Structures are given as structure tokens and as C-alpha cells.
Amino acid sequence: MLSYRHGYHAGNHADVLKHLVLLGLLQKLLAKEKPFTYIDSHSGGGIYDLNSAEARLNTEHASGISRVWHSRSQDPLLNLYVGRVRDLNEDGRLRWYPGSPTLAADCLRADDHMHLLELHPAELEELRYNHLHALGTDDRVSIHQRDAFEGLLAITPPEPRRGLALIDPSYEDKQDYQRVLQTVVKLHRRWPVGIIAVWYPLLARQRDRSVWLKSALSRENLPGLLAMELTLHAQDDEFGMHGSGMLIVNAPWQFREEMQLTLTALVAELEDGCSFTMDAPGTAVTKG
Ligand SMILES: C[S@@+](CC[C@H](N)C(=O)[O-])C[C@H]1O[C@@H](n2cnc3c(N)ncnc32)[C@H](O)[C@@H]1O
């Protein structure tokens, strides 16, 4: 039974981190002329209305995109991300927020391909609507109504062979941590050249789960493993999700260095006390 709806969380600090990393990885793939495949295992609806009742319930975007929307940062990746959000809001008022399929769709060239997987019927309907009306219908995009973990393995290795898979579960089901681990290991075996990006939450009450996922993945000898975490508040049960992380397998050359600059620029825009780590705890850059 799927109850998670991303509309309640769209544009929050976790989306900002995830979507910056996603755009950064796509830029790396775009740097070569050879075509690539992008796979979004948990696609969501594609575009979110920040004026909707869901988004207004906790106004989570106040800790994320609303903070960086007016950014005048010189960082190229942060600028690119903010520019994509501005493109969706031509009247200068922040209302529409692009999900991962929309951000990726804007990057596709003529021979690139995108697979979008989603199970929730309402999210699928949104995704199909947005594909028709906003992302543009074309045969570079395949939408699959199927389980993310099963579907990811079934459609890999993809053609074109170069590419990126974003794994972005809601972790409502605690089995998701185990399924992410098993899927990443199998996916890498089937598709050794694929870049894999996994999002995970930092939850005060379930801290052990993200720690477990990171250490379990680090024992698998996966190449080019990189972990980045963005933390907003000190750990406190009241806050629920106080930050989130991205784990990358096959991180491209110099991606770590570029993300270091982008996340430094990002924490300068977010609330006082936020910080990020790269690779391992102990290298935190804190604002305020
Ligand atoms: C965090 S949201 C995705 C947000 C999206 N990736 C973005 O960044 O815009 C997670 C999505 O996964 C979907 N989902 C949950 N379990 C799934 C499963 N087993 N297979 C496919 N989709 C699933 C949910 O319906 C939800 O839309």
C-alpha cells in the first residue's frame, strides 16, 4: 500500500541536495557527445504545485528552494539549478517546482533516453499528464508502471550503455533500506559503467538505518563511491528529517571537487547552522 505523496515535501532541503547532485551528474554525462540513458526508479509526478494544499501543509519548501530561489551565487551548478526552477516560473513568483524527471528531461539530447518508473497510480497519472503537456511527448521517454527495484534490474543494462540511475525511495517501508542495498549491488554487476545515485534521509529517530546503509554499501567494494550529506538542524526528535544524503557509485572524475564548491555555496544560502559532509563525517563546512 503506497501512501507517500511527494507533493507534501516538494522543494524541501532534501530535494535541493538531490536535484543539485542529479543535475551535476547529468552535466558530466553531457560533457561527452556519446548518448546516455537516464533511469529514474522512483519518479513521482514530475512537477509540483507549491500552492497546493499538500505543499502548504508544512511548507517544506521554506527550508529549501525558497531559500535559494533568489540566489546570486557565482557557482555554475547552483545557478543552473535555480535557473531551471526560474524557467518554470516565468512570472517571477515561485509556484511550480520541477521533480527529477523534469530536470532530466531538459537535459536530453536527440539520442539520449530516459526511463521513468513509478507505482503510485495518482503519481503516474500526474507524470503522464506532465509528460504530455510540459515535458513534451517523444519517444526518448519511456514511462513504466512497475516496481522500482524489480524494474531497474529488468531494464538494465540499458541502451545507450552510458548513463545514470537515480534511486529515490520514500523509505516508508523499512525494507527499502535492504532493497536499496541489494538492488545497487546487483545493478552494478549488470551495469558496471552505470553511475548510480541513491538518496537517503537522515532521521533522528532512525539514525541507525542510514548509517547501516552507508556502511553496508562501503563493504561491497563499489568503485568511485562518494557520500554527501546536508544537515539542517542539530539532531532532535522533534524535527523528524534533519538532513539527507546522496551516495554515488562510479562518481565521475572531479565530481567530488565540484560538489564541494557547490555545497559550500549552498550552505551559505540556507539557514544558519546547516552544514555538509563529503565522504566521511569530520569534514563538515558549517554556516553560522
Ligand atoms: C521521493 S518520491 C520521488 C521524487 C522524485 N524522484 C523527485 O525527485 O522529484 C518517491 C516516489 O516513489 C514512488 N514509489 C514508492 N515505492 C515504489 C516502488 N516500489 N516502485 C516504484 N515507485 C515507488 C512513490 O509513489 C513516490 O512517488
Side-chain angles (χ1 to χ4, degrees), residues 2-6 15 18-19 22 38 40-48 97-103 117-121 123 144 146-149 166-170 172 176 179 199:
L2 292 166
S3 55
Y4 178 91
R5 301 298 305 273
H6 197 63
D15 263 5
K18 173 180 49 186
H19 293 154
L22 171 63
Y38 170 66
D40 204 323
S41 66
H42 298 73
S43 296
I47 296 178
Y48 301 93
Y97 184 76
S100 47
T102 303
L103 291 167
L117 283 66
E118 174 59 52
L119 258 189
H120 196 298
E123 296 291 336
H144 310 258
R146 69 195 294 179
D147 175 69
F149 302 105
L166 172 65
I167 303 181
D168 181 23
S170 55
E172 264 187 317
D176 277 352
R179 294 185 84 193
W199 178 85

mmCIF file of all heavy atoms in Angstrom, residues 2-6 15 18-19 22 38 40-48 97-103 117-121 123 144 146-149 166-170 172 176 179 199, ligand 1:
data_model
loop_
_atom_site.group_PDB
_atom_site.id
_atom_site.type_symbol
_atom_site.label_atom_id
_atom_site.label_comp_id
_atom_site.label_asym_id
_atom_site.label_seq_id
_atom_site.Cartn_x
_atom_site.Cartn_y
_atom_site.Cartn_z
ATOM 1 N N LEU A 2 0.785 2.044 -1.056
ATOM 2 C CA LEU A 2 1.624 3.241 -1.156
ATOM 3 C C LEU A 2 0.851 4.441 -0.621
ATOM 4 O O LEU A 2 -0.202 4.774 -1.141
ATOM 5 C CB LEU A 2 1.978 3.501 -2.621
ATOM 6 C CG LEU A 2 2.892 2.499 -3.310
ATOM 7 C CD1 LEU A 2 2.851 2.722 -4.817
ATOM 8 C CD2 LEU A 2 4.315 2.642 -2.811
ATOM 9 N N SER A 3 1.381 5.100 0.397
ATOM 10 C CA SER A 3 0.671 6.283 0.883
ATOM 11 C C SER A 3 1.492 7.555 0.694
ATOM 12 O O SER A 3 0.957 8.645 0.731
ATOM 13 C CB SER A 3 0.281 6.118 2.351
ATOM 14 O OG SER A 3 1.427 5.824 3.101
ATOM 15 N N TYR A 4 2.792 7.410 0.480
ATOM 16 C CA TYR A 4 3.668 8.586 0.351
ATOM 17 C C TYR A 4 3.297 9.402 -0.886
ATOM 18 O O TYR A 4 3.117 8.865 -1.970
ATOM 19 C CB TYR A 4 5.125 8.117 0.232
ATOM 20 C CG TYR A 4 6.106 9.247 0.043
ATOM 21 C CD1 TYR A 4 6.704 9.839 1.149
ATOM 22 C CD2 TYR A 4 6.424 9.721 -1.217
ATOM 23 C CE1 TYR A 4 7.609 10.893 0.992
ATOM 24 C CE2 TYR A 4 7.316 10.772 -1.394
ATOM 25 C CZ TYR A 4 7.900 11.342 -0.281
ATOM 26 O OH TYR A 4 8.797 12.372 -0.442
ATOM 27 N N ARG A 5 3.178 10.731 -0.702
ATOM 28 C CA ARG A 5 2.979 11.627 -1.852
ATOM 29 C C ARG A 5 4.043 12.717 -1.775
ATOM 30 O O ARG A 5 4.139 13.432 -0.765
ATOM 31 C CB ARG A 5 1.577 12.278 -1.821
ATOM 32 C CG ARG A 5 0.410 11.316 -1.837
ATOM 33 C CD ARG A 5 0.324 10.454 -3.078
ATOM 34 N NE ARG A 5 0.305 11.168 -4.347
ATOM 35 C CZ ARG A 5 -0.797 11.631 -4.942
ATOM 36 N NH1 ARG A 5 -1.976 11.450 -4.386
ATOM 37 N NH2 ARG A 5 -0.724 12.278 -6.101
ATOM 38 N N HIS A 6 4.811 12.847 -2.826
ATOM 39 C CA HIS A 6 5.941 13.782 -2.769
ATOM 40 C C HIS A 6 5.496 15.249 -2.736
ATOM 41 O O HIS A 6 6.263 16.127 -2.325
ATOM 42 C CB HIS A 6 6.905 13.531 -3.932
ATOM 43 C CG HIS A 6 8.244 14.165 -3.707
ATOM 44 N ND1 HIS A 6 9.071 13.805 -2.675
ATOM 45 C CD2 HIS A 6 8.868 15.193 -4.353
ATOM 46 C CE1 HIS A 6 10.163 14.555 -2.695
ATOM 47 N NE2 HIS A 6 10.062 15.403 -3.707
ATOM 48 N N ASP A 15 15.209 17.790 -1.418
ATOM 49 C CA ASP A 15 15.076 17.907 -2.877
ATOM 50 C C ASP A 15 16.203 18.771 -3.448
ATOM 51 O O ASP A 15 16.734 18.493 -4.526
ATOM 52 C CB ASP A 15 13.727 18.550 -3.244
ATOM 53 C CG ASP A 15 12.663 17.510 -3.593
ATOM 54 O OD1 ASP A 15 12.942 16.297 -3.458
ATOM 55 O OD2 ASP A 15 11.550 17.916 -4.004
ATOM 56 N N LYS A 18 19.343 16.625 -3.547
ATOM 57 C CA LYS A 18 19.199 15.558 -4.553
ATOM 58 C C LYS A 18 19.227 16.113 -5.973
ATOM 59 O O LYS A 18 19.896 15.571 -6.862
ATOM 60 C CB LYS A 18 17.864 14.852 -4.284
ATOM 61 C CG LYS A 18 17.429 13.835 -5.288
ATOM 62 C CD LYS A 18 16.095 13.205 -4.893
ATOM 63 C CE LYS A 18 15.027 14.170 -4.518
ATOM 64 N NZ LYS A 18 13.790 13.591 -4.016
ATOM 65 N N HIS A 19 18.536 17.226 -6.190
ATOM 66 C CA HIS A 19 18.425 17.753 -7.550
ATOM 67 C C HIS A 19 19.705 18.457 -8.007
ATOM 68 O O HIS A 19 20.016 18.463 -9.194
ATOM 69 C CB HIS A 19 17.179 18.649 -7.656
ATOM 70 C CG HIS A 19 15.909 17.845 -7.506
ATOM 71 N ND1 HIS A 19 14.722 18.356 -7.057
ATOM 72 C CD2 HIS A 19 15.670 16.506 -7.734
ATOM 73 C CE1 HIS A 19 13.811 17.401 -7.024
ATOM 74 N NE2 HIS A 19 14.356 16.266 -7.425
ATOM 75 N N LEU A 22 21.826 15.482 -8.954
ATOM 76 C CA LEU A 22 21.316 14.944 -10.220
ATOM 77 C C LEU A 22 21.771 15.808 -11.402
ATOM 78 O O LEU A 22 22.322 15.289 -12.392
ATOM 79 C CB LEU A 22 19.782 14.899 -10.166
ATOM 80 C CG LEU A 22 19.059 14.574 -11.475
ATOM 81 C CD1 LEU A 22 19.418 13.178 -11.967
ATOM 82 C CD2 LEU A 22 17.545 14.702 -11.315
ATOM 83 N N TYR A 38 19.112 7.810 -18.883
ATOM 84 C CA TYR A 38 18.809 8.203 -17.510
ATOM 85 C C TYR A 38 17.638 7.349 -17.025
ATOM 86 O O TYR A 38 16.619 7.242 -17.711
ATOM 87 C CB TYR A 38 18.429 9.696 -17.448
ATOM 88 C CG TYR A 38 17.881 10.084 -16.097
ATOM 89 C CD1 TYR A 38 18.689 10.048 -14.963
ATOM 90 C CD2 TYR A 38 16.540 10.452 -15.929
ATOM 91 C CE1 TYR A 38 18.186 10.370 -13.712
ATOM 92 C CE2 TYR A 38 16.037 10.784 -14.683
ATOM 93 C CZ TYR A 38 16.869 10.737 -13.583
ATOM 94 O OH TYR A 38 16.369 11.044 -12.343
ATOM 95 N N ASP A 40 15.040 6.785 -13.757
ATOM 96 C CA ASP A 40 14.517 7.340 -12.501
ATOM 97 C C ASP A 40 13.634 6.243 -11.910
ATOM 98 O O ASP A 40 12.540 5.981 -12.409
ATOM 99 C CB ASP A 40 13.699 8.598 -12.844
ATOM 100 C CG ASP A 40 13.584 9.562 -11.690
ATOM 101 O OD1 ASP A 40 13.458 9.088 -10.550
ATOM 102 O OD2 ASP A 40 13.609 10.777 -11.934
ATOM 103 N N SER A 41 14.127 5.578 -10.855
ATOM 104 C CA SER A 41 13.409 4.395 -10.357
ATOM 105 C C SER A 41 12.151 4.771 -9.582
ATOM 106 O O SER A 41 11.197 4.010 -9.533
ATOM 107 C CB SER A 41 14.326 3.561 -9.460
ATOM 108 O OG SER A 41 14.639 4.268 -8.287
ATOM 109 N N HIS A 42 12.157 5.941 -8.942
ATOM 110 C CA HIS A 42 11.001 6.411 -8.157
ATOM 111 C C HIS A 42 10.711 7.829 -8.651
ATOM 112 O O HIS A 42 11.195 8.800 -8.080
ATOM 113 C CB HIS A 42 11.331 6.446 -6.672
ATOM 114 C CG HIS A 42 11.674 5.118 -6.058
ATOM 115 N ND1 HIS A 42 12.855 4.467 -6.291
ATOM 116 C CD2 HIS A 42 10.965 4.345 -5.190
ATOM 117 C CE1 HIS A 42 12.859 3.331 -5.606
ATOM 118 N NE2 HIS A 42 11.736 3.228 -4.930
ATOM 119 N N SER A 43 9.934 7.940 -9.725
ATOM 120 C CA SER A 43 9.871 9.207 -10.469
ATOM 121 C C SER A 43 9.023 10.277 -9.812
ATOM 122 O O SER A 43 9.286 11.464 -9.971
ATOM 123 C CB SER A 43 9.311 8.954 -11.869
ATOM 124 O OG SER A 43 10.198 8.141 -12.567
ATOM 125 N N GLY A 44 7.947 9.880 -9.137
ATOM 126 C CA GLY A 44 6.999 10.883 -8.646
ATOM 127 C C GLY A 44 6.242 11.497 -9.815
ATOM 128 O O GLY A 44 6.259 10.983 -10.938
ATOM 129 N N GLY A 45 5.580 12.633 -9.555
ATOM 130 C CA GLY A 45 4.672 13.227 -10.545
ATOM 131 C C GLY A 45 5.351 14.110 -11.587
ATOM 132 O O GLY A 45 4.729 14.473 -12.575
ATOM 133 N N GLY A 46 6.586 14.518 -11.341
ATOM 134 C CA GLY A 46 7.322 15.284 -12.362
ATOM 135 C C GLY A 46 7.344 16.780 -12.131
ATOM 136 O O GLY A 46 8.367 17.421 -12.326
ATOM 137 N N ILE A 47 6.186 17.355 -11.751
ATOM 138 C CA ILE A 47 6.123 18.808 -11.464
ATOM 139 C C ILE A 47 5.177 18.986 -10.264
ATOM 140 O O ILE A 47 4.139 18.324 -10.192
ATOM 141 C CB ILE A 47 5.583 19.612 -12.667
ATOM 142 C CG1 ILE A 47 6.544 19.481 -13.861
ATOM 143 C CG2 ILE A 47 5.406 21.095 -12.311
ATOM 144 C CD1 ILE A 47 6.088 20.195 -15.126
ATOM 145 N N TYR A 48 5.522 19.882 -9.344
ATOM 146 C CA TYR A 48 4.726 20.056 -8.122
ATOM 147 C C TYR A 48 4.275 21.505 -7.992
ATOM 148 O O TYR A 48 5.042 22.434 -8.273
ATOM 149 C CB TYR A 48 5.557 19.641 -6.893
ATOM 150 C CG TYR A 48 5.993 18.195 -7.010
ATOM 151 C CD1 TYR A 48 7.232 17.878 -7.567
ATOM 152 C CD2 TYR A 48 5.134 17.160 -6.652
ATOM 153 C CE1 TYR A 48 7.619 16.558 -7.733
ATOM 154 C CE2 TYR A 48 5.509 15.832 -6.814
ATOM 155 C CZ TYR A 48 6.754 15.535 -7.357
ATOM 156 O OH TYR A 48 7.121 14.231 -7.531
ATOM 157 N N TYR A 97 7.471 23.560 -8.958
ATOM 158 C CA TYR A 97 8.799 23.005 -8.648
ATOM 159 C C TYR A 97 9.027 21.752 -9.499
ATOM 160 O O TYR A 97 8.181 20.844 -9.528
ATOM 161 C CB TYR A 97 8.903 22.659 -7.147
ATOM 162 C CG TYR A 97 10.296 22.181 -6.835
ATOM 163 C CD1 TYR A 97 11.344 23.099 -6.748
ATOM 164 C CD2 TYR A 97 10.582 20.821 -6.711
ATOM 165 C CE1 TYR A 97 12.649 22.670 -6.537
ATOM 166 C CE2 TYR A 97 11.884 20.385 -6.501
ATOM 167 C CZ TYR A 97 12.906 21.313 -6.415
ATOM 168 O OH TYR A 97 14.200 20.892 -6.222
ATOM 169 N N PRO A 98 10.166 21.696 -10.196
ATOM 170 C CA PRO A 98 10.422 20.540 -11.072
ATOM 171 C C PRO A 98 10.930 19.326 -10.297
ATOM 172 O O PRO A 98 11.878 19.435 -9.524
ATOM 173 C CB PRO A 98 11.523 21.061 -12.012
ATOM 174 C CG PRO A 98 12.251 22.100 -11.213
ATOM 175 C CD PRO A 98 11.261 22.696 -10.247
ATOM 176 N N GLY A 99 10.309 18.184 -10.509
ATOM 177 C CA GLY A 99 10.821 16.931 -9.944
ATOM 178 C C GLY A 99 11.962 16.406 -10.798
ATOM 179 O O GLY A 99 12.309 16.980 -11.847
ATOM 180 N N SER A 100 12.520 15.288 -10.366
ATOM 181 C CA SER A 100 13.690 14.750 -11.064
ATOM 182 C C SER A 100 13.422 14.453 -12.548
ATOM 183 O O SER A 100 14.295 14.727 -13.386
ATOM 184 C CB SER A 100 14.233 13.519 -10.328
ATOM 185 O OG SER A 100 13.211 12.610 -9.993
ATOM 186 N N PRO A 101 12.229 13.911 -12.946
ATOM 187 C CA PRO A 101 12.031 13.642 -14.377
ATOM 188 C C PRO A 101 12.066 14.911 -15.221
ATOM 189 O O PRO A 101 12.553 14.906 -16.353
ATOM 190 C CB PRO A 101 10.626 13.010 -14.433
ATOM 191 C CG PRO A 101 10.369 12.500 -13.061
ATOM 192 C CD PRO A 101 11.078 13.440 -12.133
ATOM 193 N N THR A 102 11.563 16.014 -14.669
ATOM 194 C CA THR A 102 11.527 17.271 -15.426
ATOM 195 C C THR A 102 12.937 17.840 -15.580
ATOM 196 O O THR A 102 13.326 18.312 -16.655
ATOM 197 C CB THR A 102 10.629 18.290 -14.699
ATOM 198 O OG1 THR A 102 9.350 17.683 -14.548
ATOM 199 C CG2 THR A 102 10.485 19.578 -15.469
ATOM 200 N N LEU A 103 13.706 17.789 -14.481
ATOM 201 C CA LEU A 103 15.083 18.291 -14.558
ATOM 202 C C LEU A 103 15.888 17.485 -15.567
ATOM 203 O O LEU A 103 16.671 18.034 -16.344
ATOM 204 C CB LEU A 103 15.738 18.237 -13.171
ATOM 205 C CG LEU A 103 15.162 19.239 -12.161
ATOM 206 C CD1 LEU A 103 15.620 18.903 -10.750
ATOM 207 C CD2 LEU A 103 15.554 20.667 -12.526
ATOM 208 N N LEU A 117 10.167 5.148 -13.817
ATOM 209 C CA LEU A 117 9.418 4.082 -13.149
ATOM 210 C C LEU A 117 8.626 4.686 -11.991
ATOM 211 O O LEU A 117 9.157 5.525 -11.249
ATOM 212 C CB LEU A 117 10.372 3.020 -12.585
ATOM 213 C CG LEU A 117 10.985 2.016 -13.552
ATOM 214 C CD1 LEU A 117 11.919 2.668 -14.547
ATOM 215 C CD2 LEU A 117 11.753 0.958 -12.783
ATOM 216 N N GLU A 118 7.391 4.268 -11.845
ATOM 217 C CA GLU A 118 6.557 4.769 -10.744
ATOM 218 C C GLU A 118 5.424 3.775 -10.534
ATOM 219 O O GLU A 118 4.903 3.209 -11.491
ATOM 220 C CB GLU A 118 6.027 6.177 -11.108
ATOM 221 C CG GLU A 118 5.030 6.787 -10.154
ATOM 222 C CD GLU A 118 5.527 6.964 -8.706
ATOM 223 O OE1 GLU A 118 6.587 7.549 -8.487
ATOM 224 O OE2 GLU A 118 4.829 6.473 -7.791
ATOM 225 N N LEU A 119 5.034 3.592 -9.256
ATOM 226 C CA LEU A 119 3.977 2.626 -8.939
ATOM 227 C C LEU A 119 2.663 3.290 -8.542
ATOM 228 O O LEU A 119 1.595 2.721 -8.778
ATOM 229 C CB LEU A 119 4.425 1.742 -7.761
ATOM 230 C CG LEU A 119 4.918 0.344 -8.058
ATOM 231 C CD1 LEU A 119 5.108 -0.424 -6.746
ATOM 232 C CD2 LEU A 119 3.976 -0.440 -8.957
ATOM 233 N N HIS A 120 2.733 4.439 -7.877
ATOM 234 C CA HIS A 120 1.510 5.042 -7.340
ATOM 235 C C HIS A 120 0.626 5.533 -8.489
ATOM 236 O O HIS A 120 1.068 6.351 -9.306
ATOM 237 C CB HIS A 120 1.886 6.213 -6.432
ATOM 238 C CG HIS A 120 0.774 6.651 -5.540
ATOM 239 N ND1 HIS A 120 -0.423 7.148 -6.018
ATOM 240 C CD2 HIS A 120 0.662 6.639 -4.191
ATOM 241 C CE1 HIS A 120 -1.203 7.436 -5.003
ATOM 242 N NE2 HIS A 120 -0.579 7.135 -3.882
ATOM 243 N N PRO A 121 -0.653 5.059 -8.556
ATOM 244 C CA PRO A 121 -1.498 5.419 -9.710
ATOM 245 C C PRO A 121 -1.663 6.930 -9.890
ATOM 246 O O PRO A 121 -1.633 7.433 -11.015
ATOM 247 C CB PRO A 121 -2.847 4.762 -9.395
ATOM 248 C CG PRO A 121 -2.568 3.753 -8.326
ATOM 249 C CD PRO A 121 -1.317 4.171 -7.607
ATOM 250 N N GLU A 123 0.381 9.362 -8.872
ATOM 251 C CA GLU A 123 1.654 9.972 -9.307
ATOM 252 C C GLU A 123 1.894 9.668 -10.786
ATOM 253 O O GLU A 123 2.379 10.505 -11.538
ATOM 254 C CB GLU A 123 2.828 9.447 -8.470
ATOM 255 C CG GLU A 123 2.781 9.807 -7.004
ATOM 256 C CD GLU A 123 3.010 11.297 -6.717
ATOM 257 O OE1 GLU A 123 3.628 12.002 -7.542
ATOM 258 O OE2 GLU A 123 2.546 11.745 -5.665
ATOM 259 N N HIS A 144 7.155 3.586 -17.129
ATOM 260 C CA HIS A 144 6.842 2.202 -16.754
ATOM 261 C C HIS A 144 6.059 2.200 -15.448
ATOM 262 O O HIS A 144 6.534 2.768 -14.455
ATOM 263 C CB HIS A 144 8.109 1.391 -16.494
ATOM 264 C CG HIS A 144 9.148 1.483 -17.580
ATOM 265 N ND1 HIS A 144 9.337 0.492 -18.512
ATOM 266 C CD2 HIS A 144 10.065 2.446 -17.871
ATOM 267 C CE1 HIS A 144 10.339 0.831 -19.320
ATOM 268 N NE2 HIS A 144 10.795 2.014 -18.954
ATOM 269 N N ARG A 146 5.720 0.084 -12.804
ATOM 270 C CA ARG A 146 6.241 -1.153 -12.222
ATOM 271 C C ARG A 146 7.071 -0.842 -10.989
ATOM 272 O O ARG A 146 7.465 0.297 -10.751
ATOM 273 C CB ARG A 146 7.036 -1.966 -13.251
ATOM 274 C CG ARG A 146 8.342 -1.380 -13.684
ATOM 275 C CD ARG A 146 8.870 -2.056 -14.939
ATOM 276 N NE ARG A 146 9.227 -3.456 -14.765
ATOM 277 C CZ ARG A 146 9.688 -4.237 -15.743
ATOM 278 N NH1 ARG A 146 9.844 -3.748 -16.965
ATOM 279 N NH2 ARG A 146 9.992 -5.497 -15.527
ATOM 280 N N ASP A 147 7.337 -1.891 -10.230
ATOM 281 C CA ASP A 147 8.114 -1.737 -9.012
ATOM 282 C C ASP A 147 9.535 -1.258 -9.366
ATOM 283 O O ASP A 147 10.185 -1.797 -10.266
ATOM 284 C CB ASP A 147 8.181 -3.069 -8.271
ATOM 285 C CG ASP A 147 9.082 -2.973 -7.064
ATOM 286 O OD1 ASP A 147 8.702 -2.290 -6.104
ATOM 287 O OD2 ASP A 147 10.183 -3.557 -7.088
ATOM 288 N N ALA A 148 9.997 -0.268 -8.604
ATOM 289 C CA ALA A 148 11.283 0.348 -8.882
ATOM 290 C C ALA A 148 12.428 -0.661 -8.869
ATOM 291 O O ALA A 148 13.270 -0.676 -9.776
ATOM 292 C CB ALA A 148 11.555 1.421 -7.824
ATOM 293 N N PHE A 149 12.474 -1.486 -7.839
ATOM 294 C CA PHE A 149 13.639 -2.354 -7.641
ATOM 295 C C PHE A 149 13.650 -3.484 -8.674
ATOM 296 O O PHE A 149 14.683 -3.785 -9.263
ATOM 297 C CB PHE A 149 13.647 -2.893 -6.208
ATOM 298 C CG PHE A 149 13.667 -1.788 -5.186
ATOM 299 C CD1 PHE A 149 12.531 -1.461 -4.458
ATOM 300 C CD2 PHE A 149 14.818 -1.037 -4.982
ATOM 301 C CE1 PHE A 149 12.545 -0.432 -3.526
ATOM 302 C CE2 PHE A 149 14.850 0.008 -4.048
ATOM 303 C CZ PHE A 149 13.697 0.299 -3.315
ATOM 304 N N LEU A 166 18.917 7.084 -10.883
ATOM 305 C CA LEU A 166 18.617 7.734 -9.595
ATOM 306 C C LEU A 166 17.659 6.824 -8.834
ATOM 307 O O LEU A 166 16.609 6.438 -9.366
ATOM 308 C CB LEU A 166 17.957 9.104 -9.834
ATOM 309 C CG LEU A 166 17.415 9.804 -8.573
ATOM 310 C CD1 LEU A 166 18.550 10.185 -7.611
ATOM 311 C CD2 LEU A 166 16.605 11.054 -8.953
ATOM 312 N N ILE A 167 18.037 6.468 -7.609
ATOM 313 C CA ILE A 167 17.182 5.616 -6.756
ATOM 314 C C ILE A 167 16.729 6.488 -5.587
ATOM 315 O O ILE A 167 17.532 6.877 -4.739
ATOM 316 C CB ILE A 167 17.968 4.371 -6.272
ATOM 317 C CG1 ILE A 167 18.509 3.592 -7.473
ATOM 318 C CG2 ILE A 167 17.087 3.490 -5.395
ATOM 319 C CD1 ILE A 167 19.292 2.325 -7.114
ATOM 320 N N ASP A 168 15.444 6.795 -5.570
ATOM 321 C CA ASP A 168 14.947 7.818 -4.643
ATOM 322 C C ASP A 168 13.679 7.342 -3.927
ATOM 323 O O ASP A 168 12.592 7.904 -4.107
ATOM 324 C CB ASP A 168 14.668 9.106 -5.468
ATOM 325 C CG ASP A 168 14.181 10.250 -4.619
ATOM 326 O OD1 ASP A 168 14.447 10.254 -3.400
ATOM 327 O OD2 ASP A 168 13.522 11.150 -5.187
ATOM 328 N N PRO A 169 13.819 6.296 -3.084
ATOM 329 C CA PRO A 169 12.617 5.778 -2.403
ATOM 330 C C PRO A 169 12.144 6.722 -1.305
ATOM 331 O O PRO A 169 12.894 7.598 -0.861
ATOM 332 C CB PRO A 169 13.105 4.467 -1.766
ATOM 333 C CG PRO A 169 14.504 4.269 -2.183
ATOM 334 C CD PRO A 169 15.025 5.580 -2.683
ATOM 335 N N SER A 170 10.928 6.482 -0.834
ATOM 336 C CA SER A 170 10.419 7.303 0.273
ATOM 337 C C SER A 170 10.846 6.710 1.622
ATOM 338 O O SER A 170 10.739 7.380 2.636
ATOM 339 C CB SER A 170 8.901 7.383 0.198
ATOM 340 O OG SER A 170 8.369 6.076 0.180
ATOM 341 N N GLU A 172 9.359 4.715 3.401
ATOM 342 C CA GLU A 172 8.211 4.499 4.292
ATOM 343 C C GLU A 172 8.241 3.077 4.812
ATOM 344 O O GLU A 172 7.849 2.794 5.933
ATOM 345 C CB GLU A 172 6.938 4.626 3.468
ATOM 346 C CG GLU A 172 6.295 5.955 3.519
ATOM 347 C CD GLU A 172 4.981 5.843 2.787
ATOM 348 O OE1 GLU A 172 4.937 5.223 1.702
ATOM 349 O OE2 GLU A 172 4.013 6.351 3.313
ATOM 350 N N ASP A 176 12.905 -0.921 2.536
ATOM 351 C CA ASP A 176 13.523 -0.172 1.432
ATOM 352 C C ASP A 176 15.040 -0.101 1.586
ATOM 353 O O ASP A 176 15.763 -0.119 0.593
ATOM 354 C CB ASP A 176 12.946 1.250 1.343
ATOM 355 C CG ASP A 176 11.630 1.297 0.576
ATOM 356 O OD1 ASP A 176 11.240 0.268 -0.003
ATOM 357 O OD2 ASP A 176 11.000 2.368 0.550
ATOM 358 N N ARG A 179 16.383 -3.323 0.411
ATOM 359 C CA ARG A 179 16.153 -3.447 -1.033
ATOM 360 C C ARG A 179 17.095 -2.532 -1.817
ATOM 361 O O ARG A 179 17.565 -2.891 -2.889
ATOM 362 C CB ARG A 179 14.682 -3.138 -1.387
ATOM 363 C CG ARG A 179 13.712 -4.164 -0.822
ATOM 364 C CD ARG A 179 12.311 -3.890 -1.294
ATOM 365 N NE ARG A 179 12.051 -4.452 -2.614
ATOM 366 C CZ ARG A 179 10.994 -4.155 -3.364
ATOM 367 N NH1 ARG A 179 10.105 -3.295 -2.938
ATOM 368 N NH2 ARG A 179 10.830 -4.716 -4.549
ATOM 369 N N TRP A 199 19.423 8.378 -2.907
ATOM 370 C CA TRP A 199 19.081 9.358 -1.877
ATOM 371 C C TRP A 199 18.675 8.615 -0.605
ATOM 372 O O TRP A 199 18.059 7.555 -0.672
ATOM 373 C CB TRP A 199 17.909 10.233 -2.351
ATOM 374 C CG TRP A 199 17.494 11.231 -1.310
ATOM 375 C CD1 TRP A 199 18.039 12.452 -1.107
ATOM 376 C CD2 TRP A 199 16.480 11.071 -0.303
ATOM 377 N NE1 TRP A 199 17.428 13.056 -0.030
ATOM 378 C CE2 TRP A 199 16.478 12.232 0.478
ATOM 379 C CE3 TRP A 199 15.580 10.046 0.023
ATOM 380 C CZ2 TRP A 199 15.614 12.423 1.559
ATOM 381 C CZ3 TRP A 199 14.724 10.216 1.096
ATOM 382 C CH2 TRP A 199 14.747 11.403 1.846
HETATM 383 C C1 LIG B 1 10.632 10.638 -3.068
HETATM 384 S S1 LIG B 1 9.385 10.366 -4.239
HETATM 385 C C2 LIG B 1 10.173 10.638 -5.772
HETATM 386 C C3 LIG B 1 10.568 12.044 -6.056
HETATM 387 C C4 LIG B 1 11.265 12.241 -7.385
HETATM 388 N N1 LIG B 1 12.348 11.286 -7.589
HETATM 389 C C5 LIG B 1 11.831 13.647 -7.492
HETATM 390 O O1 LIG B 1 12.994 13.860 -7.079
HETATM 391 O O2 LIG B 1 11.135 14.511 -7.996
HETATM 392 C C6 LIG B 1 9.229 8.611 -4.229
HETATM 393 C C7 LIG B 1 8.246 8.069 -5.243
HETATM 394 O O3 LIG B 1 8.425 6.660 -5.300
HETATM 395 C C8 LIG B 1 7.168 6.041 -5.509
HETATM 396 N N2 LIG B 1 7.306 4.654 -5.053
HETATM 397 C C9 LIG B 1 7.308 4.176 -3.782
HETATM 398 N N3 LIG B 1 7.580 2.862 -3.767
HETATM 399 C C10 LIG B 1 7.772 2.488 -5.068
HETATM 400 C C11 LIG B 1 8.121 1.271 -5.697
HETATM 401 N N4 LIG B 1 8.314 0.147 -5.007
HETATM 402 N N5 LIG B 1 8.262 1.277 -7.036
HETATM 403 C C12 LIG B 1 8.073 2.414 -7.776
HETATM 404 N N6 LIG B 1 7.750 3.597 -7.226
HETATM 405 C C13 LIG B 1 7.599 3.636 -5.886
HETATM 406 C C14 LIG B 1 6.213 6.893 -4.707
HETATM 407 O O4 LIG B 1 4.890 6.763 -5.211
HETATM 408 C C15 LIG B 1 6.781 8.301 -4.912
HETATM 409 O O5 LIG B 1 6.158 8.938 -5.989
#
